[in-house]
Every structure is written in structure tokens, then in C-alpha cells.
Amino acid sequence: QVQLVESGGGSVQSGGSLRLSCVASGYSGSTYCMGWFRQTPGKERDAVAAIGSRGRMTYAAWVKGRFTISQDNANNTLYLQMNSLKPEDTAMYYCAARGPADYCSGAMLARQYNYWGQGTQVTVSS
């Protein structure tokens, strides 16, 4: 059973930075596709970024170069570096995994992922 544990959320002022981490376990040698999503109360869970096969990164249009997704395969950890944070970035951020998979397309729909972490809250004040 795949388990995902996020950390790194917190409260920052507008323009600040945070780095989210997601430690994955239970992969048993299989390949899983990874992504970050976010959600605010009463709204759907939206994609932030995803990693595809061969290290291809896909970002939501609104990211506009502010965030960077990366992964450390040796330590089974997914990261999201968030810079130039804005109050509208305030949300619960979730790590997601899809698989096992032979190929990762950088999926950006929540329904395409079958494992989720518990979330880490990011609050950006103006």
C-alpha cells in the first residue's frame, strides 16, 4: 500500500517562499507517477504540477514560473519549491501518486491519481 506524507507547509507573507516535501513509501519497486494538487474549501482539487517520464514537468498555467516540482528517487521524495507566493496561493496542498504505471504522462487531473497524502496547509498573507 502506497503511503504519502507531506510536510513543509506554513504561513508566509506575500512574496515569500516555501518548499513542500512528500515522502512516499510502499512502492515495492514499481513505478508511480507523481504530482502536486491544491484545494480550498468548497472548491475542487486542482493540479499544481506533475512529473512525467524522462523528467518532464507539467505546470498549471497560473504557476507562471513561480513553482518548481522535483523528485529525489533515491529517497522517494517529491518536492514543490514555491517562490513569489501570493495570497491566492493559500490552500491545502496534496501530494498524489498514480500507478503502478509503465509511463507517466504528467497527468493533471485529480481523478487520474489513486493515492493521496493527508495534505499540508499553506497560508500566504498580504
Side-chain angles (χ1 to χ4, degrees):
Q1 179 75 9
V2 174
Q3 292 187 326
L4 306 172
V5 180
E6 303 99 330
S7 62
S11 297
V12 296
Q13 290 190 330
S14 182
S17 298
L18 285 173
R19 188 175 82 154
L20 306 184
S21 300
C22 171
V23 178
S25 61
Y27 276 9
S28 301
S30 299
T31 298
Y32 286 78
C33 309
M34 305 296 295
W36 285 101
F37 288 75
R38 72 182 190 181
Q39 188 173 25
T40 54
K43 295 191 176 181
E44 294 185 351
R45 195 167 292 187
D46 293 328
V48 178
I51 289 186
S53 295
R54 304 184 193 92
R56 174 187 174 185
M57 288 86 161
T58 304
Y59 295 94
W62 53 263
V63 169
K64 295 183 179 178
R66 299 183 298 125
F67 297 178
T68 302
I69 188 172
S70 62
Q71 62 184 13
D72 179 350
N73 290 327
N75 292 302
N76 292 332
T77 303
L78 182 73
Y79 299 101
L80 183 68
Q81 176 67 44
M82 305 188 295
N83 300 325
S84 302
L85 283 162
K86 305 175 182 180
E88 51 264 42
D89 293 319
T90 295
M92 185 72 79
Y93 284 71
Y94 296 91
C95 173
R98 179 172 68 91
D102 295 325
Y103 175 75
C104 295
S105 61
M108 296 287 277
L109 295 175
R111 59 178 171 80
Q112 294 176 291
Y113 290 82
N114 48 341
Y115 297 100
W116 295 88
Q118 82 288 352
T120 186
Q121 177 67 36
V122 171
T123 302
V124 185
S125 58
S126 58

